Amino acid sequence: MDQVKGYHHLTMSTDGAQEDYDFFTKTLGLYSVKRTVLFDGVIPVYHLYYGSKGGDESTILTTFPFRKPGVYGRRGTNQSKIVQQAIPVGASEFWVNRLGEHGFEATTSNRFGIDRVDFRHPSGIEMQLVENPGDPRTPIVKEEAGIGADHGIKGIYGGVVAVMDRTAMDDFLTIALPLKKMADDDDGMAYEVPNANGPSSVVEVLEIRDEPQGTWTLSGGTIHHFALNTGDEENQMNLRAHIEGLGFTDISEQKDRMYFKSCYVRSPGGAMFELAWTVPEGWARDEPADAIGQTLVFPPWFEDRKDELIEGLEPASFQDA
């Protein structure tokens, strides 16, 4: 089966909108790709997208800052745990120093033979920058922020899921999605995300039995979902039917996310995965292609709520580095 073609994006529920924006655009050197609002529910919350300057698939991280509504979750097991981005081999020392200079404690570690930098988003979510030798993508350069081609983030490397039962998660990842198991260790497993001729990327699993159940709702300080790229609607619908046919019926109907179409499925280990594909207009659907992420935009179905939403959003100054 070839319905998965790497990652599409990763999404977190964070805390303050200003600290979130500054962290991604100034500390990590990503670009603003889209500024809109949460499409689900009625609470006014930003939906902020970051990535490469052109918004390339597999570079996108998105956030819902929940400080103003004051909705916060609990980090624990049976939940997505760590967001991972790829960096050039040898760039770890640069990032440990840079993160420290910006007030974020960072350390190095190694798992499955790959070096990585461990740190936390301002909201407390765990993150890693991983030296991925199998990533041919050009680093995201932001000279005005002090980040050049030798050190720039390349995009998504993967995500780490914490589970109580590694066997059930192994079945889901290898049979339902399906991914290929790459490695095992005492703490869990690693799986390769299919991506023909693209950068290697992974889902890693940590078996954690001594932590409480983590929150699954949209709530600050937690990861909401990991989105895999199906490339087009046919692949998405075929994979959705495959997953549902296995008995994983906790899978949504297709949802219109304006710039892409999505289906969501809750895994046995608690983590939510999304199956997504980008519509032809992509990010240029409501902004010029050479000026994406520069204005606050709303989907047409929110037109009659625009004033209400703007009034309810957290004040923030969205100025890049």
Side-chain angles (χ1 to χ4, degrees):
M1 298 178 69
D2 59 355
Q3 281 97 351
V4 174
K5 305 176 187 299
Y7 275 97
H8 191 275
H9 64 273
L10 308 178
T11 293
M12 300 170 274
S13 298
T14 59
D15 188 10
Q18 188 68 64
E19 68 181 16
D20 184 81
Y21 191 85
D22 290 347
F23 177 73
F24 282 112
T25 64
K26 298 178 181 180
T27 302
L28 296 188
L30 303 183
Y31 289 85
S32 174
V33 172
K34 191 63 61 179
R35 300 205 301 267
T36 184
V37 292
L38 174 62
F39 289 1
D40 298 333
V42 296
I43 300 174
V45 175
Y46 287 111
H47 194 180
L48 306 177
Y49 292 71
Y50 310 97
S52 66
K53 195 168 188 177
D56 298 306
E57 291 176 348
S58 86
T59 70
I60 304 297
L61 300 185
T62 93
T63 64
F64 302 117
F66 270 92
R67 176 171 292 174
K68 187 166 184 181
V71 179
Y72 296 100
R74 178 181 61 253
R75 289 187 290 273
T77 193
N78 282 354
Q79 181 189 57
S80 297
K81 184 174 180 63
I82 305 174
V83 166
Q84 300 173 313
Q85 295 172 284
I87 56 174
V89 173
S92 289
E93 183 179 358
F94 169 87
W95 282 104
V96 169
N97 292 335
R98 180 179 177 84
L99 286 161
E101 290 166 0
H102 283 76
F104 299 98
E105 182 180 355
T107 58
T108 57
S109 63
N110 185 291
R111 190 180 185 211
F112 302 122
I114 297 181
D115 292 329
R116 49 196 75 195
V117 177
D118 302 284
F119 60 106
R120 289 180 182 266
H121 180 276
S123 67
I125 294 171
E126 293 180 60
M127 300 186 70
Q128 291 181 339
L129 299 176
V130 183
E131 294 189 8
N132 182 8
D135 193 336
R137 290 175 294 184
T138 301
I140 299 169
V141 173
K142 205 171 193 183
E143 297 290 358
E144 63 271 30
I147 301 172
D150 291 339
H151 306 113
I153 290 169
K154 293 186 172 188
I156 297 167
Y157 175 71
V160 180
V161 177
V163 299
M164 289 185 179
D165 182 355
R166 63 196 287 170
T167 302
M169 195 63 180
D170 179 72
D171 288 345
F172 176 80
L173 292 174
T174 57
I175 299 172
L177 289 183
L179 310 183
K180 180 182 177 181
K181 184 186 283 189
M182 299 165 52
D184 263 291
D185 66 11
D186 291 341
D187 298 320
M189 305 87 79
Y191 301 82
E192 181 181 8
V193 177
N195 193 7
N197 303 315
S200 63
S201 52
V202 304
V203 173
E204 293 183 0
V205 174
L206 279 173
E207 188 173 40
I208 300 177
R209 295 175 173 272
D210 59 353
E211 291 184 9
Q213 168 72 52
T215 305
W216 289 355
T217 55
L218 280 165
S219 46
T222 63
I223 298 169
H224 190 251
H225 64 261
F226 298 149
L228 302 174
N229 187 9
T230 65
D232 58 38
E233 186 169 31
E234 181 180 5
N235 281 337
Q236 182 191 57
M237 290 294 99
N238 286 341
L239 184 53
R240 185 192 180 282
H242 166 73
I243 292 170
E244 190 172 43
L246 291 170
F248 294 106
T249 55
D250 188 8
I251 187 166
S252 75
E253 299 299 321
Q254 187 187 79
K255 294 181 179 290
D256 184 356
R257 298 315 193 188
M258 188 74 171
Y259 318 103
F260 48 92
K261 301 292 181 70
S262 302
C263 297
Y264 301 85
V265 58
R266 181 75 65 185
S267 69
M272 182 180 290
F273 288 86
E274 177 182 339
L275 314 176
W277 58 277
T278 302
V279 300
E281 308 96 315
W283 309 118
R285 191 167 177 182
D286 52 11
E287 291 181 295
D290 60 353
I292 58 174
Q294 301 307 302
T295 58
L296 180 62
V297 293
F298 299 87
W301 55 89
F302 276 2
E303 192 63 35
D304 61 342
R305 293 186 58 207
K306 188 182 294 187
D307 292 342
E308 169 202 343
L309 290 167
I310 291 173
E311 183 178 349
L313 291 170
E314 175 188 348
S317 174
F318 297 115
Q319 301 292 325
D320 268 19

